[in-house]
Each structure stands twice: as C-alpha cells, then as structure tokens.
Amino acid sequence: MAATASQRYLSTRGGAYNLGFEEVVLKGLAADGGLFIPEEIPQLPPDWTSKWREDSFDQLAFKILSLYISSAEIPSVDLKNIIARSYGTFRAPDITPLVTLDEKNKLYLLELFHGKSLKLSKLSLDDMLRQKGPTFAFKDVALQFLGNLFEYFLVRRNKGKKGKERHHLTVIGATSGDTGSAAIYGLRGKKDVSVFIFYPKGKVSPVQEAQMTTVLDKNVYNLSIEGTFDDCQDIVKALFADAEINKSHKLAAVNSINWARILAQITYYFHAYFSLLRSANFVEGSKLRFVVPTGNFGDILAGWFATRMGLPVSKLVIATNSNDILDRFWRSGSYEKHPVSDPSSDDSTPLSTFNAAHPSGVKETLSPAMDILVSSNFERLLWYLAFEGSSSSTLPQRRQEAGTQVSTFLSSLRISNAFTVSPALLNAARHTFESHRVSDLETLSSIRKLYHQSLPSSLLSLSHPTSGTLLNNSSSYILDPHTAVGVAAAWRSLEHDPGTHHIALATAHPAKFATAVDLALGTEKGFRFEDVMPIEFLGLEKRKRRVRAVGKGEGIEGVRRIIVDEVAREIGDEGS
C-alpha cells in the first residue's frame, strides 16, 4: 500500500521532501538543518469518538501512529508489538492516568511519570537499581517507543550482516535533565547502538544526574558540558551539520527534534480526553484546555498535532518559567534571545543560586528542565503557520514558501538574536495557544497550595500507585516544580475562563527535585522528604558513576573526538 501524505515527510527549511518514516527517525535532523514534519496532518475518521471511546492506551497509540506510519514500512503486527513492549511494564494500568484535583473547578492532572513496575517480592534492592525501566518523567512515554523503534530498524537492516557491514547507530542527545536518563534507559544494552548524552554541568538535579551517570552499560556515554542546555543543544546541531563525522558515523537524534518523540506523545492527549469523557464530570462538547509546562516546545506541540487532527480542544496553554522567550513571543510577536535579568521580577528565592542569569541569558530556576533559551520545536509550528498563511496557488509553492520563511526567521535569530512575525501569523498562533509566565515564588506557592488542598475521595482510592506524590494515603498531593508551573498557569487560566475543564500535564515525579520540594514544604508539620522517595531511587546516589567532563575550550572538535574514539573502541570490543 502506497504511503499517504501524512506518512511522508519533509524538512521545515525546504531542503528535503517525500521521505519515509524510517529515514526521518534514523536521521533525526534534516541535512539542511531543518526538522522533519509530515507533509499533511491526517484527519480523524468521522466516527472516531464512538469507536475509540473505550480503547486502551495501546489501542489508541496503534490507531494514531498508523496514520503517520505506512504499514509498508512497519507492518501492523510489528507496530503493535513495538507499542506493547514500550508500555507493557508501566506501573499504572492506564499508562498515563488522569486524576481529579478540583472537582468543583474542573481541574485535572495527567500523570505522565509512571515508569516501570517492579515485582518487589522477586527483586533485591540491588536488582531494582539495575532495572532497565523508565525514569519517572513524561519523556519515558516517547523514549521507550523511540528506543524500540531504533532496535526494530537496526535488527532489520543488519539481518545476515557481520562486522563492519552492520549498521551501527551513534545516537546523540542534549538534556536539561529528563531526556538524558529516559534516552539512556530506552537504549542501554541495545545492540549496534552507542548513545552519547550531553548535559550542562551543575544544572541538572542530583537525582537526574545520578540516573544518567550510574548506568554503566558499555554503549552509554555521559558528557558533562561546561555551559547551558542551549550549549549542549548547539553541539547536537553542530554534529549533524559536521561533514567529517557524518561521513564516518550514522548519527541519530534522541531529543524531541526527532519526529518520533512528538508522534508518541500525541497519544496521551487523546487518552486524557477519553478518560474525561468516560467520567461523570464531562459532557461531550464541553470546553477543554490542556496546560503544559513548556521548555523545548515538544510536549505542547504534540497537543497541537492532536487538535489539528480533530481533538476538540479550545486552547493549549503554554506555561513557562522565568526563561520566557515563548511567553514574550505570544505577547508581542517577537522571538528574542536576551538576558532574563528584570530587576522588578518576583523570582527571588531563599537560594541565591536561583537568581543568577547565565551570560547567554538563561536563568537558573527551580524548574531546571525548562531553563531553555531557544525552543527547537517551535520551528515546526512556524512552518505550519507560514504554510497555512501562504498566498501561493500551488501546494509545492506553498511548501517552498513556508520553508523559505522559516529559514529567514532562523537566520535572523542566529545573526541578530531575534525575529518578528507578521500580525497575521501571530494571530494564527494565538488562535490555538495562550501563554503564562510563572515565577519561582509562584512555583513554590503552587506546591504548598496543592499540598494543603482537600482532594476528591476518588483520587485517594485510585488503583494505580502514586507513591511519593500522594503521601501516606492522605490528601497531601505533592507536585514537582515543573508540574507546579503548569498548575499555577491552570489556576490563572481558570480565573478568566471559569467553567472550562482544564487538564494540566504532570511531567515528573517530585522526588527528582529535592531542592524545590524542600523549599516549598520543608517547614510543613509532618512532612519528610524521605516519604516522597520511591523505592527505585533508594541508594542511587551511592552507586558507581561514569561521566566525562568537557571543558569550554574543547568545543565541537573535542566532543567529535570523544565520540569517534569511543565508538571505535566499542565496535572493536564487539568484534573481538
């Protein structure tokens, strides 16, 4: 069966068209520096609401992914198997359960951090710490799937091949915390894959760093980079543009610049909608908003694809921290990289380290995974907005015009640190999105407020485990700081749109962010951070680590040299 337009892909910068799913997944980034997107966004079948209403997460995933992946590339039976292996071990039967936070005001939380279940009676603590399961963050949903995709394609390509004939994938990724560990746990131990993760030294939480660096599988390499997440992300992009390493190595991306990451996340927007639809609190046709803590724009972009497919959402709400380049864009139409150093801001916290702006303009906050200056996935939205606003008469012309416009925007960003869109394009962006900036003080206040809020009895009797978020079966629910940014934005949104159902995305387990949780709740009577810690985290900080420091002076050349040397050693070990 021939691939449909939604199963073929192009580059946002106009340099590549008519690509298959396997090619875009294995490449990650287009040769022209653009990101891959489907040539057309598929529409849902007319009877999707009634036919999909009772589907499980896996069933929904198959139906949605099949719209973007041709069965000629991945046969249906194989795709179902990949999905089953990706989500079959998550702790929650619903994979991404929806819980009610405030029945009266119609506020819900979509928990995306349920990771891998452990059969405690059969495992020692040491065994548990060696588990190859997910990492208590929303990125597990996409990266378990992406890891299994890489493995599927490599097994197929390498069938009957030996030695240097084999297709060896060198996976590179930048992380502000959660992407790194989720990618590592999705790829550790897999044959014919080397994974290199770059993270900013001193700018991820201790638990996040331990989750990455205590994985000692020989195909996993952690590089601690002097700088910011944006510096790490720039290294990834520079490597993809580097002709020398691309001649000798087959590079693949694990960040959300890889289209498969966005695709996998579309499912939980539909799953949340149906969970709400099956409840007694929601009537089909009611207004619904999703509120998403946003850094690199990938998670909320998946929601945008869901709405364009036909999911009935009245608004997608961007929740940023003090690194507010997106919030400023939605208010002004200008996308500007400039230092976040407003002396009138209310971001001061008891820890002075969280008040310092990096020279690049990135400010360190209590929600470090969102401390990002340039949101890579924003480029994908810009392409579609430019395409839909094009006045050209033919489809190829409209696509080319959109690619040219995106290239112009990004060239201006590179040269002048800013670009401004037309009023028409900004209005198109505002049609689906609105934005809220949340300070550190508001983040802490949100954690405290929900901790003291009386929760519905339905939440207290849930069958899935919420260890560490719902303390001692009490009504004390604990948010991680990124989710708290989203909940704060949801409360703000409810003030001017009361009566609308709001689903805030819970992106990580609070145990990963001790500093913020302790600042918010450390003086509360009866609170102990030890009660927040899931059993999977016990002893993590004491385990042996492997990490390599990369100084500022080493640059892209130093990173390239490390990758070439380590991959050569690894392949040599496999062949010996």
Side-chain angles (χ1 to χ4, degrees), residues 81-102:
N81 182 52
I82 291 169
I83 291 168
R85 287 192 291 117
S86 299
Y87 307 124
T89 57
F90 273 49
R91 297 192 322 276
D94 289 347
I95 313 301
T96 57
L98 185 71
V99 300
T100 304
L101 292 185
D102 187 338

Side-chain angles (χ1 to χ4, degrees), residues 475-553:
S475 61
S476 299
Y477 195 99
I478 298 178
L479 299 171
D480 91 279
H482 308 81
T483 305
V485 169
V487 170
W491 279 325
R492 203 181 293 169
S493 175
L494 277 163
E495 289 177 2
H496 64 79
D497 197 6
T500 293
H501 296 262
H502 283 67
I503 296 177
L505 273 58
T507 55
H509 193 284
K512 303 185 79 167
F513 304 98
T515 298
V517 174
D518 265 337
L519 278 173
L521 303 176
T523 60
E524 297 292 334
K525 184 178 179 181
F527 172 80
R528 298 188 317 152
F529 188 76
E530 292 82 358
D531 295 331
V532 180
M533 296 287 284
I535 194 169
E536 290 88 344
F537 288 1
L538 296 179
L540 190 61
E541 73 285 354
K542 297 177 182 178
R543 295 191 63 81
K544 182 180 178 181
R545 302 188 183 205
R546 190 175 74 228
V547 60
R548 186 159 178 174
V550 178
K552 261 198 175 303

Side-chain angles (χ1 to χ4, degrees), residues 321-322 344-351 354-355 363 365-367 437-449 484-485 488 491-492 516 519-520:
N321 62 17
S322 299
S344 67
S345 73
D346 59 351
D347 286 341
S348 57
T349 69
L351 293 185
F354 292 101
N355 297 327
K363 183 172 183 178
T365 73
L366 293 171
S367 45
R437 176 189 185 273
V438 176
S439 70
D440 273 346
L441 287 180
E442 290 172 305
T443 300
L444 296 175
S445 176
S446 295
I447 295 172
R448 290 191 201 102
K449 179 178 176 180
V485 169
W491 279 325
R492 203 181 293 169
L519 278 173

